[in-house]
Amino acid sequence: MSREKEIKVAFWRGILVGPLAIFPATFLLALASIASEFSLRKLFESLFVGLYGACIAYIVIIIYGSIIWYFLRLLNKLALATLLLAALAPALTVALLTREFVFSLLIAYYSLVVAFTAWFFGLRQVKKL
């Protein structure tokens, strides 16, 4: 497989699998919140949040993630560290504009999880860029 085709396949693999990381990330947050008081309602609410979050993550990774991937590839800086730094930009923007730091931390948490998963299932398998 040619180098360029290998990178394109890695890109699409990351786009398709990355947002699915929302589900285990939400499950971990739900476990922390229901540890003190378990209820089926809280469990179903967390599943709904995960589904909603995955839909948003797919939209964001297709738009923002694709642009970031392209520019990092163009600059020859496409690596885990740069992807994770770029993933923090939306959370930083929200924090600066709204002063909602808890919400910004949630955005950062989900962004990092999605970016790492996209890299893990995509770029990690590409031999040295």
Side-chain angles (χ1 to χ4, degrees):
M1 183 181 317
S2 75
R3 183 104 179 116
E4 205 54 41
K5 186 173 182 176
E6 186 180 18
I7 291 172
K8 286 180 184 178
V9 168
F11 168 78
W12 285 108
R13 206 172 29 236
I15 290 247
L16 292 174
V17 177
L20 295 178
I22 293 291
F23 292 109
T26 301
F27 182 71
L28 289 175
L29 281 179
L31 280 180
S33 71
I34 64 176
S36 62
E37 181 183 323
F38 177 78
S39 72
L40 284 176
R41 183 173 184 222
K42 282 188 177 183
L43 185 62
F44 284 118
E45 284 175 356
S46 68
L47 290 174
F48 178 74
V49 167
L51 183 62
Y52 183 69
C55 292
I56 292 172
Y58 272 111
I59 293 167
V60 171
I61 200 170
I62 287 170
I63 297 169
Y64 177 72
S66 299
I67 293 168
I68 292 302
W69 179 287
Y70 175 77
F71 281 115
L72 290 176
R73 176 86 172 111
L74 194 65
L75 298 171
N76 204 22
K77 299 290 184 191
L78 189 56
L80 176 61
T82 54
L83 283 174
L84 293 179
L85 282 173
L88 290 175
L92 182 61
T93 303
V94 169
L96 292 173
L97 293 177
T98 66
R99 304 276 188 224
E100 293 288 333
F101 297 112
V102 174
F103 184 61
S104 297
L105 284 174
L106 280 173
I107 292 173
Y109 170 67
Y110 284 121
S111 293
L112 289 173
V113 167
V114 169
F116 178 80
T117 306
W119 170 83
F120 187 81
F121 286 97
L123 271 183
R124 178 183 65 97
Q125 298 173 3
V126 174
K127 306 292 184 267
K128 190 154 176 158
L129 294 172

